[in-house]
């Protein structure tokens, strides 16, 4: 097998991605040190606050780093954060070449790490498997560029585009495997968001239930402009998972009090002509430390997010079923479009079978 820069970078990306869901708010980063075609060091960033990928790789490489090449999926950092700058470590290690997949969008790094290495006479190459590195850290990049959470809209529908029967019954659209897949996403994300309609109709607990491993619960976020969430609702029980209810400035204080007593956190934003101010909501949630959110509906919530172009990624499960009818429920509600030209354009990224269902991942077209 020909082992070239891409081979080692692929390995570094794979190492990085094994910590998916554990590094927030930090990026996933992997590093591989290669000396004379021998992998002498590997490392990845496992968790925010812990050492960066490079630190682990250099610890493993020891003296073998001298004269070696470092492959790293993100530009080595140049700042003092929770840990000291990796660029200094790289400089002192004796590596003669550094291959970087992408520059760091973090404004406190943004090219300074690379400049520091070049100034020290180290050969630096940037852009190997760059597209894959961008994909890996799409959430982190979005956070750095917008100071808002990365929003993923998710829904499960039949092959004729229905998420529930006319009665609202939706158990179940997809099979066990697809539902387990959703819990895998919940485990990876900081937040999960639904509208009050979903809370009143389904009383969901919105926790992570995984068969294969212990799941991490996302923070549950409910858009509830009138504070109609009953204190008895499953999401209002906060022993297992945190809950944030986003409501309007006008919502009655007594209702807030009752929910607050249950441990529910409340964020107030302005009401707009399209419901709660979603931009202000996202700003507040990012402020609260939430870096990504799975928006699970219902149709009204999806409509607002899509209409305001606040969705960064869409995950669609499609079941091999046809429901039919004109009163059954579709994934995105809102007012009726009059022309096909009013449609928002997306690009399909991947399509996979998950059990007997399809999982389609799409991104908005810019
Ligand atoms: C990581 N892991 O392997 C690399 C990172 O707060 P700190 O000190 O952990 O710094 C986090 C920043 O460091 C992060 O936003 C990114 O810009 C840079 N590189 N971060 O968590 C790593 N190499
Ligand atoms: Zn670092």
């Amino acid at each position: 097998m020909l082992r070239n820069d891409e081979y080692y970078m692929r390995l570094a990306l794979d190492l990085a991605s094994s910590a998916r869901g554990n590094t927030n708010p930090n990026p996933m980063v992997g590093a591989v040190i290669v000396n004379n075609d021998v992998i002498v060091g590997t490392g990845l960033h496992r968790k925010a606050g812990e050492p960066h990928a490079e630190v682990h790789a250099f610890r493993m490489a020891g003296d073998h780093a001298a004269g070696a090449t470092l492959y790293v999926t993100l530009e080595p950092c140049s700042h003092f954060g929770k840990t000291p700058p990796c660029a200094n470590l790289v400089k002192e290690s004796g590596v003669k070449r550094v291959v970087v997949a992408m520059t760091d969008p973090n404004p406190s790094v943004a090219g300074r790490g690379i400049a520091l290495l070049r100034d020290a006479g180290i050969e630096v190459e940037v852009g190997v498997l760059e597209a894959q590195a961008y994909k890996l850290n799409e959430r982190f990049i979005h956070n750095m560029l917008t100071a808002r959470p990365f929003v993923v809209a998710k829904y499960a529908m039949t092959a004729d585009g229905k998420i529930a029967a006319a009665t609202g019954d939706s158990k179940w659209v997809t099979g066990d495997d697809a539902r387990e897949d959703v819990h895998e996403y919940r485990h990876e994300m900081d937040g999960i968001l639904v509208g009050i309609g979903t809370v009143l109709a389904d009383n969901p607990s919105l926790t992570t239930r995984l068969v294969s491993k212990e799941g991490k619960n996302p923070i549950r976020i409910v858009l509830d402009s009138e504070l109609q969430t009953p204190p008895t609702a499953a999401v209002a029980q906060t022993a297992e998972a945190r809950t944030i209810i986003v409501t309007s400035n006008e919502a009655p204080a007594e209702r807030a009090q009752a929910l607050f007593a249950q441990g529910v956190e409340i964020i107030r934003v302005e009401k707009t002509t399209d419901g709660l101010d979603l931009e202000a909501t996202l700003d507040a949630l990012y402020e609260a430390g939430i870096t990504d959110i799975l928006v699970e509906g219902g149709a009204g919530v999806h409509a607002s997010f899509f209409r305001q172009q606040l969705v960064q990624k869409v995950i669609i499960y499609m079941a091999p079923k046809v429901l039919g009818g004109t009163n059954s429920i579709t994934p995105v509600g809102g007012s009726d479009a009059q022309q096909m030209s009013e449609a928002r354009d997306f690009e399909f990224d991947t399509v996979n079978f998950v059990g007997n269902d399809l999982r389609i991942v799409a991104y908005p077209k810019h």
Side-chain angles (χ1 to χ4, degrees):
M1 143 154 306
L2 175 67
R3 300 209 223 154
N4 53 15
D5 284 351
E6 292 198 355
Y7 174 90
Y8 293 118
M9 192 58 84
R10 160 67 35 220
L11 187 57
L13 287 165
D14 285 346
L15 286 168
S17 70
S18 71
R20 185 178 290 281
N22 297 333
T23 66
N24 299 21
N26 282 0
M28 288 172 262
V29 184
V32 172
I33 302 169
V34 180
N35 197 334
N36 212 6
D37 261 339
V38 177
I39 297 173
V40 294
T42 58
L44 66 117
H45 184 59
R46 296 182 297 216
K47 195 174 188 294
E50 288 196 10
H52 289 182
E54 300 93 318
V55 174
H56 288 297
F58 280 115
R59 263 186 210 155
M60 177 171 162
D63 293 345
H64 296 284
T69 299
L70 164 70
Y71 294 87
V72 60
T73 59
L74 185 72
E75 166 185 8
C77 66
S78 56
H79 69 302
F80 283 87
K82 290 181 216 94
T83 64
C86 293
N88 292 351
L89 179 69
V90 178
K91 222 168 84 177
E92 285 148 23
S93 70
V95 295
K96 72 166 198 280
R97 187 168 168 252
V98 176
V99 182
V100 172
M102 62 176 281
T103 54
D104 189 343
N106 184 345
S108 36
V109 183
R112 283 185 209 94
I114 289 166
L116 212 140
L117 298 177
R118 286 196 173 132
D119 287 348
I122 297 172
E123 182 192 337
V124 184
E125 197 174 325
V126 185
V128 173
L129 299 188
E130 191 172 43
Q132 288 88 331
Y134 269 82
K135 180 67 76 61
L136 175 74
N137 278 315
E138 56 189 9
R139 187 268 308 156
F140 175 71
I141 297 167
H142 179 78
N143 293 159
M144 289 298 122
L145 299 182
T146 68
R148 284 198 183 147
F150 185 80
V151 174
V152 181
K154 170 250 141 184
Y155 51 82
M157 64 179 201
T158 60
D160 59 332
K162 317 288 196 218
I163 60 168
T167 57
D169 179 46
S170 60
K171 290 192 171 64
W172 298 100
V173 177
T174 51
D176 290 347
D177 291 349
R179 296 204 315 272
E180 170 90 3
D181 201 56
V182 172
H183 285 273
E184 192 67 51
Y185 280 110
R186 286 183 178 180
H187 163 77
E188 287 171 12
M189 316 261 308
D190 287 344
I192 178 170
L193 183 149
V194 297
I196 180 64
T198 300
V199 169
L200 296 178
D202 303 343
N203 192 25
S205 69
L206 304 177
T207 52
T208 303
R209 296 171 305 274
L210 281 168
V211 180
S212 55
K213 64 179 180 208
E214 200 184 324
K216 190 163 76 347
N217 287 323
I219 297 175
R220 299 168 298 183
I221 304 155
V222 182
L223 298 186
D224 178 7
S225 53
E226 317 293 336
L227 275 183
Q228 293 173 285
T229 303
T232 51
V235 288
Q237 315 313 311
T238 55
E240 240 190 301
R242 275 174 70 186
T243 299
I244 297 176
I245 295 184
V246 183
T247 191
S248 67
N249 289 322
E250 300 103 69
E254 322 79 70
R255 290 196 196 153
Q257 213 56 51
L259 290 159
F260 191 69
Q262 302 260 107
V264 172
E265 296 152 67
I266 294 183
I267 290 178
R268 289 182 184 269
V269 298
E270 296 287 335
K271 234 164 132 177
T272 70
T273 47
D274 192 12
L276 291 166
D277 183 337
L278 292 184
E279 302 209 21
T281 299
L282 292 174
D283 289 340
L285 293 173
Y286 189 67
E287 190 87 1
I290 295 173
T291 67
D292 49 12
I293 300 175
L294 192 63
V295 176
E296 290 208 12
V301 169
H302 278 148
S304 301
F305 273 90
F306 279 115
R307 190 167 39 233
Q308 296 179 44
Q309 303 195 51
L310 294 172
V311 174
Q312 276 70 55
K313 183 175 184 171
V314 190
I315 300 173
I316 305 159
Y317 294 91
M318 189 164 92
K321 289 178 189 173
V322 169
L323 199 54
T326 50
N327 291 312
S328 44
I329 302 163
T330 57
V332 184
S335 54
D336 289 320
Q338 305 303 312
Q339 307 286 334
M340 204 56 211
S341 58
E342 293 171 46
R344 292 250 179 273
D345 283 328
F346 286 77
E347 242 163 4
F348 287 142
D349 180 63
T350 51
V351 183
N352 294 100
F353 270 105
V354 182
N356 297 322
D357 303 309
L358 291 183
R359 181 189 57 217
I360 304 165
V361 176
Y363 290 93
K365 212 164 161 178
H366 297 295

